[in-house]
């Protein structure tokens, strides 16, 4: 029963104001309004709200309430609650995981595009470095640019690993083979 989940025995809540015993203060006005609506109509109500356990914990509860009448007069309100605290916590975790997955896909897509650009840059740098007419200052500048491009490629590989996508490996190939 819901009372058992809250840690109360029936004797502890009989003839006590449920709102002040089991409803957090910030939600009491909403509870009282809904209680009045049930008492003055034949409508049932449904909602989510927090209940206070005897030990002070708060449980998120999906509840349904309706008025029960005998001989035309309201005798009591029947309320049924289901503890959904864990389900809501798992939903929040799932949404967070979905956000991380989206970030990973975005990073992976950008990393693949960036890797293609780097491959072209590194290929041109390699071709330029083969020119025998280069002076030493230009040759060193091209070598420094190649080192920076390789650092960028390593960073791209890390992004691709984060997004769990394949990694493009740049290595020399003998086109004659």
């Amino acid at each position: 029963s819901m009372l058992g989940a809250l840690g109360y025995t029936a004797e502890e809540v009989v003839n006590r104001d449920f709102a002040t015993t089991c409803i957090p203060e910030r939600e009491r006005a909403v509870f009282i309004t809904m209680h009045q609506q049930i008492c003055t109509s034949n409508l049932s109500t449904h909602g989510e709200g927090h209940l206070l356990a005897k030990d002070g914990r708060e449980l998120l509860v999906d509840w349904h309430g309706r008025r029960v009448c005998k001989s035309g007069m309201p005798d009591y309100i029947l309320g049924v609650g289901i503890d959904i605290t864990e389900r809501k916590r798992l939903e929040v975790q799932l949404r967070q995981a979905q956000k991380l997955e989206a970030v990973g896909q975005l990073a992976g897509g950008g990393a693949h595009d960036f890797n293609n650009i780097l491959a072209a840059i590194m290929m041109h740098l390699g071709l330029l470095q083969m020119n025998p007419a280069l002076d030493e200052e230009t040759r060193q500048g091209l070598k420094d640019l190649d080192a920076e491009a390789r650092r960028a490629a390593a960073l791209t590989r890390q992004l691709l690993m984060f997004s769990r996508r394949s990694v493009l490996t740049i290595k020399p190939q003998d086109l004659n083979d």
Side-chain angles (χ1 to χ4, degrees):
S1 79
M2 194 79 254
L3 285 178
L6 294 171
Y8 293 103
T9 63
E11 293 79 27
E12 289 176 303
V13 292
V14 169
N15 295 324
R16 288 184 67 185
D17 181 6
F18 185 78
T20 57
T21 303
C22 297
I23 306 292
E25 191 172 330
R26 68 182 183 281
E27 294 186 23
R28 285 184 189 152
V30 173
F31 174 80
I32 291 168
T33 300
M34 296 180 95
H35 183 269
Q36 290 169 345
Q37 288 173 345
I38 294 170
C39 289
T40 58
S41 70
N42 285 325
L43 299 176
S44 62
T45 61
H46 171 258
E48 286 182 7
H50 290 89
L51 293 180
L52 287 173
K54 187 177 180 179
D55 63 8
R57 289 177 302 121
E58 284 192 16
L59 302 178
L60 183 59
V61 177
D62 179 20
W63 56 267
H64 300 265
R66 70 177 181 90
R67 182 176 74 166
V68 176
C69 296
K70 291 184 179 176
S71 65
M73 297 297 292
D75 286 333
Y76 57 90
I77 294 175
L78 176 63
V80 177
I82 300 169
D83 182 359
I84 59 170
T85 308
E86 183 66 11
R87 184 182 85 196
K88 286 293 184 176
R89 187 186 67 76
L90 291 173
E91 286 174 2
V92 168
Q93 283 183 336
L94 175 62
R95 280 194 297 276
Q96 188 65 25
Q98 289 170 333
K99 286 179 189 176
L100 282 174
E101 182 181 359
V103 168
Q105 288 176 347
L106 182 64
H112 266 300
D113 292 343
F114 189 63
N115 225 355
N116 292 338
I117 295 167
L118 279 173
I121 290 170
M122 292 171 75
M123 183 183 70
H124 280 81
L125 285 170
L127 291 172
L128 286 171
Q129 289 178 46
M130 286 190 249
N131 185 343
L134 291 177
D135 61 77
E136 190 52 39
E137 183 181 351
T138 304
R139 189 174 304 283
Q140 185 59 45
L142 290 174
K143 190 174 181 181
D144 291 345
L145 283 173
D146 186 63
E148 292 302 317
R150 290 182 190 284
R151 283 183 54 213
L155 176 61
T156 304
R157 279 192 292 278
Q158 290 175 353
L159 286 171
L160 289 168
M161 283 189 284
F162 171 74
S163 67
R164 294 186 181 102
R165 293 183 178 220
S166 61
V167 177
L168 175 65
T169 304
I170 298 173
K171 59 184 179 180
Q173 294 292 318
D174 185 349
L175 297 179
N176 292 327
D177 289 344

